[in-house]
Amino acid sequence: MSDTARLSGEVLLDVGSPEEYRETVLRFLTDALGRVERLLKARVGDLADGSAGRVHGDALTGRIKLSAASLELGGMYQHRPYSPENLGRLAERAAEGRIVSALAEVVGQGGIHVDAVCHLRAWRDDADDRWAVLRMETPDSGALVESIRAVAEQADPVFGSIGHGGDMTCTELEHALGLRDLGDTYDDARRILRGYDWITVVPRQLATEHGGATAFAGSGLSTVDELPSGALWLRATDDFTDYRGSAVWAMFQAVAPMLPTGLPTQREWLGVPRQASPVVLEDAGKYGATRAFDS
């Protein structure tokens, strides 16, 4: 697990009923944290052998903290320790419309934060509670891919991606096209692909319209799988470190007919730039795209 190759993965979902959403969040958190516990233990061991271990000694340990936005305290977060019972409570808070999260971290003396191993979030759109994003951030690409794939297989995803790119409400392509309003593209996301990354999840409606998995024969992608819902799981390369140059072009060209038209421009950073997945600065309209987002 690398300190620098921090990746993020997310799936955009139709919320459904509160009960359905609660079960979806609970499955996501339970599955992902089951993988994260192993990563956390390994990270504690790695850090104990270095300078952090010399500073914190036997106090160095792993901690998983569950958090939910409070409705009573002006949006402040309430925290609980990780347990199956508290995980169930967290899923209940998600069903109420609150943002919930789980942070796996290494702490030292006095509970001082030393290193973050994984951050999980379930976010529901305040302006339109039909939509939710399940997101995972971790340096471990294996756990990330397995966890996001599990969510995508158990749902009827509207969109999904894994890489360095995007925010909770805006993909790198949407930023590059100047589509900055939160969630403005969600209503169209089953007829226009919101973006692309190292791994891209195409909703079933677009997959069917564009010929399904067989249409990607010869695309140069390393994986083209059909998920139970009919959505597609597209992976550019076996390893994320190889997602550059011709591999980015291969993903772009494979999904271009599904993308929004318009000429992307280099993303403008208002603060300190962070790692971001590349966007091909070409109008997808030149490669078969015919639709544009209204926003």
Side-chain angles (χ1 to χ4, degrees):
M1 186 167 62
S2 168
D3 292 320
T4 57
R6 194 160 205 84
L7 299 178
S8 64
E10 68 175 49
V11 177
L12 173 67
L13 300 170
D14 297 307
V15 169
S17 70
E19 293 75 18
E20 290 171 329
Y21 181 52
R22 180 182 69 81
E23 289 303 315
T24 298
V25 172
L26 184 57
R27 282 197 306 267
F28 169 58
L29 295 176
T30 301
D31 176 80
L33 288 174
R35 307 177 205 280
V36 168
E37 284 185 292
R38 172 183 54 81
L39 303 178
L40 187 57
K41 182 178 180 180
R43 188 59 176 156
V44 170
D46 290 343
L47 291 172
D49 292 335
S51 58
R54 291 192 293 273
V55 172
H56 297 280
D58 293 338
L60 204 64
T61 188
R63 176 176 70 186
I64 297 176
K65 181 172 63 176
L66 308 179
S67 305
S70 169
L71 299 180
E72 298 84 16
L73 302 175
M76 294 177 62
Y77 277 79
Q78 297 172 318
H79 309 291
R80 290 180 181 269
Y82 173 50
S83 72
E85 182 181 8
N86 285 339
L87 206 57
R89 289 196 183 109
L90 198 68
E92 293 285 355
R93 303 293 84 77
E96 294 169 0
R98 309 188 197 190
I99 300 172
V100 302
S101 67
L103 175 65
E105 60 182 344
V106 180
V107 297
Q109 298 180 55
I112 295 174
H113 172 85
V114 175
D115 188 45
V117 172
C118 180
H119 193 190
L120 300 165
R121 279 175 286 180
W123 173 89
R124 222 167 136 184
D125 191 338
D126 291 335
D128 190 339
D129 62 7
R130 293 176 298 163
W131 311 107
V133 175
L134 304 183
R135 187 175 177 94
M136 181 176 184
E137 298 174 13
T138 178
D140 191 286
S141 62
L144 178 60
V145 170
E146 291 170 1
S147 297
I148 296 299
R149 172 105 185 203
V151 174
E153 287 184 341
Q154 294 162 3
D156 180 14
V158 181
F159 174 74
S161 67
I162 297 176
H164 278 321
D167 303 316
M168 287 288 285
T169 56
C170 203
T171 68
E172 284 296 337
L173 178 61
E174 288 170 339
H175 276 295
L177 290 171
L179 305 174
R180 301 178 187 276
D181 292 333
L182 304 187
D184 271 2
T185 62
Y186 290 178
D187 270 327
D188 279 333
R190 290 195 182 275
R191 56 184 293 273
I192 306 175
L193 191 65
R194 297 178 56 222
Y196 54 92
D197 214 318
W198 171 48
I199 293 175
T200 304
V201 179
V202 178
R204 60 180 169 82
Q205 291 85 351
L206 275 172
T208 299
E209 180 183 347
H210 290 273
T214 57
F216 290 85
S219 64
L221 304 180
S222 73
T223 303
V224 178
D225 289 341
E226 182 174 312
L227 302 178
S229 66
L232 295 179
W233 177 273
L234 308 180
R235 182 169 177 158
T237 58
D238 291 337
D239 195 295
F240 177 73
T241 58
D242 296 322
Y243 184 59
R244 59 183 186 272
S246 60
V248 177
W249 266 97
M251 178 61 81
F252 168 73
Q253 290 180 309
V255 301
M258 310 178 194
L259 295 174
T261 57
L263 183 63
T265 59
Q266 198 71 41
R267 180 171 176 177
E268 296 179 7
W269 293 97
L270 300 179
V272 178
R274 62 162 176 77
Q275 291 174 308
S277 290
V279 171
V280 173
L281 302 181
E282 292 272 358
D283 188 338
K286 293 168 55 180
Y287 300 86
T290 59
R291 299 167 183 164
F293 286 123
D294 292 334
S295 55

